[in-house]
Amino acid sequence: MAAVYSAADTHLKQLAYQHILTVEQFTPEVLESLFGLAQRMDRQVETGHTEPLLANRVIANAFYEPSTRTDLSFQSATQRLGGRVISTAGGVQYSSVTKGESLHDTIKTIDCYADAIVLRHPTRGSAREAAEAADALRMSLHRPTPIINAGDGTGEHPTQALLDLYTIKDRFGANIDGLTIGFLGDLRNGRTVHSLIKLLAIDHCHVKVVCIAPESLSMPSEYVEFARSREMPVEETQDLQEAIGGLDVLYVTRVQRERFVAQEMDDLSAKVYGMPVDALDAQRKDALRPLAEQNAAQEYLAARDTYVVDPMMLSQARKNMILLHPLPRVNAIPEEVDTDDRAYYFRQVQNGLYIRMALLASVLDCLR
Ligand code: NCD
C-alpha cells in the first residue's frame, strides 16, 4: 500500500501542533496539500485500507453545543486512523461545567488527558480563549495540545469551511476561477459562511460571491470587507428568484434560532441602558430577558420561511449547479430535493470525514 503521505506535502508540516482557530491561518499551498491528502484518505477509506497514523493518540471532543456531523466526523476520523476519542459521558452538561467551572480550567483539565481538543462552544472567541489556556499549561507540562475550533458561537467554523471548499473543488476541479457562489439564509449568525467567504478570498479563488439574505440577517460587513479587500467581488441581494439562475454553487444555511435571544438582549441593552449586555448586572439582565425572548421568537418566525429551495425554485437554476448545506437543514430544503443530481450536501458530509482525517494527521504531526 502506498504511504498516505507524499513528499509534496511538506507544507502540512506548518500545521504540526498548531491550534486551528480561524481559516486565516491557511495559505493556498497548505490548502492544496491538505486537499490532496484528503483525497488519498478518501481512497483509503473506500478500499478499507487506512493507516493507523493516530495510533496511541487520544483526541478529546468537548462540545458545549449540539452537534451531529462535526462531533461524529471527528470521532470517525480519529478511529479510522487508529486513535481513540474521549468525551464526558452524556456531553458537557454532565461535566463540572454545570458546577460553574471556567472554560480555562475545563480545557486545562482535558489537556492533561488528550493530545488534541476539538471544541465547540456558544461564545465567539472561546476557541482562542481555550488556546490560551492550553498554551499556559504547555509552559509547565512541556507538551503542546492543539485546540481545534469546531464552531465558536457566531464566529467561525474553520474545519467546515475546509470541507466546503474541498467539496466545491471536488465537483468543479482544483481551479474554480469564474464560478459564482451564492450564500443563502442567515448570513449574520451562520459561522460556516463567515469562514467560507474568508477562505475563498484567502485561496485567491477568482470567484464571485452573491450574498442572499433578508436585511436583518445579512452578511456582517467585516466579512464582506475582508473578501473585497482581497479583490473578491461580493454582491448582496434579498432576491433568490432573481439570483439563482446565475449561480454555480448555492450554499444554503439554517436560520440560527439559538442566536436570536442573545442578539435581542444586546439590542435591548443598548436601547434601554446604553451599554452592552455584558456590562449589566444580573437583575437588569433578568428584567430584559422576557421581552428579548418574545422579540426573538417573532423575529425567528418571520425569518424562518423566507427562502425555500424546492423543485420549483430549482427549475430556475443551472443544470450543473450544486446545492450545498452544512446541515441541519430544518426547512430550507425539502427532502424531495435529495434525489436531484444537484443535491450535493451528503457528499459534503462525507467529505467532512476525509478533511478531518487529513487535518488531525497533520496537526498531530503523524505524517511520515
Ligand atoms: C453548522 C454549525 O454548527 O455551525 N453545522 C455543522 O457543523 N455542520 C450549521 C448549523 O448549525 O446550522
Side-chain angles (χ1 to χ4, degrees):
M1 184 174 54
V4 73
Y5 181 57
S6 132
D9 291 345
T10 46
H11 296 297
L12 294 178
K13 284 274 172 208
Q14 291 173 32
L15 296 180
Y17 296 107
Q18 297 302 304
H19 302 300
I20 305 296
L21 306 178
T22 161
V23 290
E24 289 181 47
Q25 294 168 250
F26 290 85
T27 62
E29 294 74 26
V30 170
L31 290 171
E32 193 182 342
S33 297
L34 190 74
F35 293 169
L37 182 58
Q39 241 166 11
R40 296 196 288 283
M41 295 294 186
D42 178 348
R43 281 198 292 277
Q44 296 206 347
V45 171
E46 281 302 304
T47 54
H49 292 293
T50 48
E51 291 179 67
L53 297 175
L54 295 180
N56 301 318
R57 303 302 181 105
V58 174
I59 313 296
N61 271 13
F63 279 65
Y64 289 68
E65 270 191 349
S67 172
T68 301
R69 280 147 289 272
T70 310
D71 184 2
L72 292 177
S73 63
F74 268 110
Q75 290 196 42
S76 177
T78 305
Q79 292 183 14
R80 282 178 187 275
L81 292 176
R84 276 165 294 176
V85 182
I86 56 167
S87 56
T88 48
V92 172
Q93 67 268 34
Y94 289 106
S95 73
S96 289
V97 165
T98 46
K99 300 179 190 169
E101 187 165 63
S102 69
L103 180 64
H104 265 246
D105 281 0
T106 304
I107 292 297
K108 283 180 170 172
T109 303
I110 301 173
D111 189 320
C112 295
Y113 308 134
D115 299 305
I117 302 173
V118 180
L119 175 73
R120 168 167 291 188
H121 196 280
T123 309
R124 182 177 173 164
S126 52
R128 195 166 293 281
E129 209 184 298
E132 283 163 14
D135 287 345
L137 203 64
R138 181 184 294 212
M139 308 283 190
S140 55
L141 294 186
H142 305 292
R143 195 174 62 83
T145 305
I147 303 291
I148 300 180
N149 181 3
D152 64 325
T154 57
E156 278 211 42
H157 194 345
T159 68
Q160 177 73 39
L162 292 172
L163 76 91
D164 294 337
L165 181 56
Y166 177 73
T167 303
I168 295 171
K169 293 187 174 196
D170 178 29
R171 171 62 183 78
F172 291 101
N175 183 347
I176 59 169
D177 288 359
L179 293 191
T180 301
I181 300 178
F183 292 146
L184 176 74
D186 186 351
L187 310 185
R188 181 182 70 182
N189 298 304
R191 54 197 171 200
T192 69
V193 284
H194 298 167
S195 287
L196 185 54
I197 192 172
K198 289 208 283 188
L199 192 63
L200 287 165
I202 287 165
D203 197 25
H204 306 310
C205 303
H206 294 107
V207 298
K208 182 169 89 179
V209 166
V210 183
C211 293
I212 311 156
E215 208 182 335
S216 61
L217 299 180
S218 61
M219 181 69 87
S221 55
E222 63 182 290
Y223 301 107
V224 175
E225 278 156 26
F226 184 98
R228 287 186 181 148
S229 70
R230 283 160 183 77
E231 274 147 45
M232 200 174 81
V234 180
E235 282 176 14
E236 294 185 89
T237 177
Q238 297 184 27
D239 194 341
L240 172 62
Q241 189 112 10
E242 193 185 77
I244 196 167
L247 304 177
D248 300 293
V249 177
L250 176 55
Y251 188 106
V252 186
T253 63
R254 174 179 68 90
V255 177
Q256 309 275 301
R257 179 181 202 157
E258 67 275 34
R259 312 285 177 220
F260 281 42
V261 174
Q263 185 65 47
E264 275 299 323
M265 288 288 284
D266 273 344
D267 292 352
L268 282 175
S269 177
K271 217 183 288 170
V272 178
Y273 299 112
M275 57 175 95
V277 70
D278 288 343
L280 298 185
D281 58 33
Q283 209 178 352
R284 284 177 163 178
K285 273 189 202 161
D286 287 347
L288 289 184
R289 193 166 299 278
L291 184 57
E293 282 173 358
Q294 199 183 327
N295 289 353
Q298 276 169 7
E299 207 194 330
Y300 173 71
L301 282 178
R304 192 187 59 181
D305 299 321
T306 313
Y307 303 110
V308 178
V309 185
D310 55 15
M312 182 103 90
M313 183 60 81
L314 271 180
S315 69
Q316 297 172 57
R318 293 178 179 167
K319 291 279 169 277
N320 66 346
M321 187 194 82
I322 59 168
L323 191 56
L324 299 178
H325 195 306
L327 304 177
R329 61 176 136 177
V330 195
N331 42 3
I333 305 177
E335 271 181 36
E336 59 192 309
V337 169
D338 295 3
T339 51
D340 190 303
D341 287 343
R342 292 167 288 189
Y344 230 67
Y345 28 89
F346 286 106
R347 176 77 199 163
Q348 194 183 354
V349 171
Q350 199 175 23
N351 285 338
L353 172 65
Y354 312 135
I355 281 290
R356 286 167 178 139
M357 288 170 78
L359 189 70
L360 285 173
S362 306
V363 165
L364 286 170
D365 199 18
C366 294
L367 299 167
R368 300 275 172 256

